[in-house]
Amino acid sequence: MKPISAVNDFVVKFANVNGSGSASANELFAKAILRMGVPVSPRNIFPSNIQGLPTWYEVRVSGDGWLGRRGGVDLMVAMNPQTWDVDVAEIEPGGYLLYDSTRALPKSKFRDDVHVIGVPLTAICNDAWTDARQRQLFKNIMYVGALSALLDIDVAIIERLLGEQYKGKEKLLDANKQALHLGRDHFLRADPSATDRPSTAALFDQEHFGLRVQHADKVGDRIFVDGNSAAALGCVYGGATVCAWYPITPSSSLAEAFQKYCMKYRVDAETGANRFAIVQAEDEIASIGMVVGAGWNGARAFTATSGPGISLMTEFIGLAYFAEIPVTIVDVQRGGPSTGMPTRTQQADLLACAYASHGDTKHVLLFPSDPTECFAFSADALDLADRLQTPVFVMTDLDIGMNQRLCAPFAWDDARAYDRGKVMSAAELEAGRDFGRYKDVDGDGIPYRTYPGTHADKGAYFTRGTSRDPYARYSERGPDYVYNMERLLRKFETAKSLVPAPVLRTAAQPTALGAIHFGSTAPAMDEAIVALERNGVHLDTMRVRAFPFADEVAAFVATHERVFVVEQNRDAQLRSMLVNEFGIDPARLVPVLHYDGTPITARFITRSIERRVGAQRPHETDKVA
């Protein structure tokens, strides 16, 4: 089998055991290539249980800058015997398998169409160190060294990264450098007789190893950051001073990052007093209750959670919607239902969030596609919550939230003022201005509110979860209830002009085919569009960035015979919302569904759409990658 040959365009996957210390070594590998000016897109695939279970780390190297998962593996670093068969099966024909050859394996464990690279990592470690934990940890650095030789990765860059990681810890730094060079020297050793271990030539003909990394200048000014950190920083810049949360994968690191940034930016320099409040509550119900209370009191407050947390929060979400209290909720989606797959990604909370709570509700959802939008949309959500006096959801997911991604630098205008919306002041009340807490005064559905304690005897009202009239007086009269519910719909309509607009991409030639997608599908979708056009399939595409949907979304569907709706859930939730909100004929919307818990790939999208276009079977759906 001819070896795969590629420069700055391949996928490497590491198969390890959770708790083995491999994560930092794998990240070191990805960052070294990034610092050579070559875009990378790493994804950590880890178990929801603790030490001992399988974990994987996949690195997409793409000189063309593609950041979505491609599908397939060109080089597998197989360090976990438990998953050997699955890992070997994933390698592309002509690809490569690097493994620890200290203990010989039968020929039946390999594939005839895969090129095998054996490195006796355990044997080398046993010669160099006596401590069992050191042997395990340094074995990971050692395979990074071996890969640096095979792939021509600049070793000086790796050494600089180690120096940054172990600054002030010279003993650890020296040991890691030793392990790095032991791995490199195994392939670069000039004199095979210098050791009793097999020479490079006996292990693998390096001249026929076809994957290479070459210095480039394709990264530009982009930054490398995960979505949870970006969203946390967006909340800081957006003026959030209160965070109440309960730990849940994959959102916990968002609240932890918010605390880290607050300690840096929200501590009074003179007094040392904290200008923020962060509460780890006893459960999700308590956390959302605290956020609702803080929002009612005038603070900018948010919580970070995932699907199971949303389920528990729905009653308070309904209260905030009906009592019209600003609340921001960052939902880092994961596999469901129930406990589901806590460490896998999905886009399956759309319906749960869009219509959260019993009765008639509609909530504002924002759909960021990368960390840059996580930063911007988190700040925007706080403005929108205040402006609209309602819960606003930022709908990220594990793929965006917990994986580092190349993205545009964050931008912030220091002159930007927080949009607090319609808040009646003490002076306005004193001047005799009419205050009806739930009264629509200008047709946009948004009433005026007052902060607690605004005036000694004016502007007070009952905050109710029960029906009331425009002046917040309890009422079960039908007309009062209908007035209030229709006003809430007008407010939701007003939100259309305030939320991020959809992004339209027009094909190079006229086409009757379209595609709608959102959120973390974007990187794979961008690549799939190019692949489809190369194969003669042209699509206009629209990336939806918010709910309520802009009128342009309905117009987009109306001007195409068929529109593929690409999403990562089983039940075509975005498609259902489009049908529900616009009354679209469901036959016009063709579902392309991926929901096995791994991020959607460009190959999956391309093959799914090509098959439908060629076979003319609009109701066929894909299940998994």
Side-chain angles (χ1 to χ4, degrees):
M1 173 63 68
K2 183 179 179 181
I4 292 175
S5 180
V7 177
N8 295 350
D9 184 17
F10 52 86
V11 175
V12 180
K13 193 168 185 177
F14 300 86
N16 298 101
V17 175
N18 199 38
S20 64
S22 61
S24 60
N26 299 339
E27 186 176 313
L28 179 71
F29 171 82
K31 286 185 174 180
I33 298 175
L34 183 66
R35 290 208 181 176
M36 289 180 68
V38 182
V40 298
S41 182
R43 283 174 170 83
N44 191 16
I45 305 166
F46 58 98
S48 57
N49 291 294
I50 55 175
Q51 188 165 330
L53 290 182
T55 184
W56 294 269
Y57 190 85
E58 183 178 289
V59 181
R60 171 89 183 270
V61 180
S62 175
D64 291 331
W66 300 122
L67 300 178
R69 285 186 73 227
R70 185 199 70 186
V73 174
D74 300 308
L75 169 60
M76 177 68 71
V77 181
M79 302 298 294
N80 186 358
Q82 293 176 323
T83 61
W84 177 274
D85 292 340
V86 174
D87 297 332
V88 171
E90 198 172 351
I91 305 171
E92 298 278 280
Y96 307 91
L97 169 66
L98 188 150
Y99 79 107
D100 184 351
S101 62
T102 300
R103 182 173 297 176
L105 294 175
K107 187 177 180 180
S108 61
K109 300 296 288 184
F110 302 99
R111 281 170 46 188
D112 293 337
D113 61 346
V114 168
H115 302 278
V116 179
I117 311 168
V119 184
L121 296 167
T122 299
I124 299 173
C125 281
N126 288 347
D127 288 349
W129 293 280
T130 58
D131 181 78
R133 183 59 175 165
Q134 284 183 323
R135 286 172 170 173
Q136 176 60 57
L137 294 174
F138 292 136
K139 183 164 66 174
N140 301 320
I141 299 297
M142 195 177 299
Y143 67 62
V144 173
L147 291 172
S148 72
L150 287 168
L151 294 163
D152 288 342
I153 299 174
D154 191 336
V155 70
I157 290 177
I158 303 178
E159 290 179 338
R160 284 198 294 272
L161 285 166
L162 287 171
E164 294 167 10
Q165 184 175 350
Y166 296 107
K167 186 177 182 180
K169 301 176 181 178
E170 299 305 319
K171 188 175 180 180
L172 277 173
L173 175 59
D174 291 342
N176 276 273
K177 283 185 176 180
Q178 179 187 357
L180 174 71
H181 283 281
L182 282 171
R184 277 183 65 82
D185 290 347
H186 184 74
F187 286 99
L188 301 180
R189 189 170 57 249
D191 181 9
S193 64
T195 175
D196 59 357
R197 288 193 296 273
S199 69
T200 300
L203 291 166
F204 183 70
D205 185 355
Q206 191 175 358
E207 291 183 359
H208 292 90
F209 185 80
L211 305 181
R212 293 285 186 275
V213 180
Q214 290 183 355
H215 281 275
D217 187 17
K218 297 295 183 69
V219 174
D221 66 347
R222 286 180 291 178
I223 60 175
F224 196 53
V225 65
D226 64 272
N228 281 356
S229 296
L233 192 60
C235 288
V236 172
Y237 272 73
T241 56
V242 176
C243 171
W245 65 293
Y246 182 76
I248 183 173
T249 303
S251 70
S252 294
S253 62
L254 198 161
E256 292 163 353
F258 180 73
Q259 181 170 2
K260 178 186 72 174
Y261 291 131
C262 282
M263 292 301 295
K264 185 174 182 179
Y265 298 117
R266 288 275 173 78
V267 177
D268 188 279
E270 295 183 2
T271 66
N274 292 340
R275 292 177 170 175
F276 61 90
I278 301 173
V279 181
Q280 182 177 320
E282 60 267 35
D283 54 34
E284 287 90 350
I285 300 173
S287 65
I288 188 63
M290 294 174 188
V291 169
V292 171
W296 172 84
N297 203 44
R300 289 201 153 182
F302 78 97
T303 188
T305 190
S306 192
I310 296 295
S311 297
L312 291 169
M313 294 177 180
T314 52
E315 187 170 0
F316 264 121
I317 293 169
L319 171 64
Y321 173 79
F322 201 54
E324 299 181 67
I325 298 171
V327 170
T328 296
I329 302 167
V330 185
D331 179 10
V332 189
Q333 298 168 89
R334 70 186 207 186
S338 188
T339 305
M341 296 190 293
T343 59
R344 299 292 186 265
T345 195
Q346 278 191 356
Q347 297 175 308
D349 293 351
L350 272 66
L351 292 173
C353 293
Y355 309 109
S357 190
H358 54 277
D360 294 325
T361 56
K362 288 187 179 183
H363 302 296
V364 175
L365 313 182
L366 307 184
F367 304 127
S369 66
D370 65 7
T372 300
E373 288 191 339
C374 284
F375 170 80
F377 288 8
S378 294
D380 291 344
L382 292 159
D383 270 352
L384 287 166
D386 268 351
R387 174 78 176 270
L388 296 166
Q389 302 173 30
T390 197
V392 176
F393 294 79
V394 181
M395 305 294 292
T396 77
D397 56 40
L398 184 147
D399 185 32
I400 302 175
M402 295 193 71
N403 289 312
Q404 292 177 305
R405 186 82 56 83
L406 267 179
C407 59
F410 304 157
W412 187 262
D413 182 358
D414 287 335
R416 170 176 168 173
Y418 298 143
D419 186 350
R420 302 311 298 259
K422 296 180 179 179
V423 180
M424 198 168 289
S425 67
E428 290 172 312
L429 291 167
E430 187 65 29
R433 186 168 179 179
D434 179 45
F435 175 67
R437 175 63 185 95
Y438 300 107
K439 184 178 181 180
D440 185 359
V441 297
D442 51 17
D444 64 0
I446 306 171
Y448 275 85
R449 62 174 172 147
T450 56
Y451 296 139
T454 295
H455 193 282
D457 54 15
K458 295 181 175 66
Y461 63 93
F462 280 108
T463 303
R464 301 182 182 277
T466 51
S467 182
R468 65 273 171 162
D469 69 9
Y471 289 89
R473 296 173 298 209
Y474 177 76
S475 171
E476 292 188 11
R477 293 180 64 250
D480 287 337
Y481 178 79
V482 169
Y483 170 84
N484 201 50
M485 295 301 288
E486 291 184 349
R487 180 182 57 77
L488 290 171
L489 272 184
R490 287 197 299 276
K491 181 164 70 170
F492 193 70
E493 185 70 20
T494 297
K496 283 185 180 181
S497 63
L498 303 176
V499 299
V503 177
L504 175 67
R505 176 191 177 278
T506 304
Q509 64 185 54
T511 177
L513 299 177
I516 291 175
H517 64 105
F518 70 102
S520 62
T521 61
M525 191 69 194
D526 290 344
E527 185 177 1
I529 292 165
V530 174
L532 286 164
E533 289 186 342
R534 190 165 53 240
N535 296 337
V537 179
H538 297 275
L539 293 172
D540 296 328
T541 64
M542 177 169 279
R543 178 163 69 89
V544 175
R545 299 200 296 168
F547 177 71
F549 303 126
D551 292 336
E552 296 96 303
V553 179
F556 180 85
V557 175
T559 54
H560 294 86
E561 292 178 8
R562 281 189 295 167
V563 175
F564 300 99
V565 184
V566 183
E567 48 188 316
Q568 298 181 83
N569 57 68
R570 185 197 68 181
D571 293 342
Q573 295 188 24
L574 179 65
R575 178 176 178 268
S576 296
M577 291 169 64
L578 291 168
V579 170
N580 184 57
E581 296 299 318
F582 292 128
I584 297 169
D585 178 2
R588 296 172 64 90
L589 301 177
V590 184
V592 177
L593 308 176
H594 182 279
Y595 51 89
D596 68 352
T598 63
I600 196 169
T601 67
R603 288 182 179 180
F604 177 87
I605 297 171
T606 302
R607 291 167 181 170
S608 299
I609 292 177
E610 281 183 339
R611 185 169 65 253
R612 288 169 171 80
V613 170
Q616 299 292 310
R617 290 196 297 266
H619 299 293
E620 180 185 2
T621 61
D622 282 299
K623 303 304 180 186
V624 295

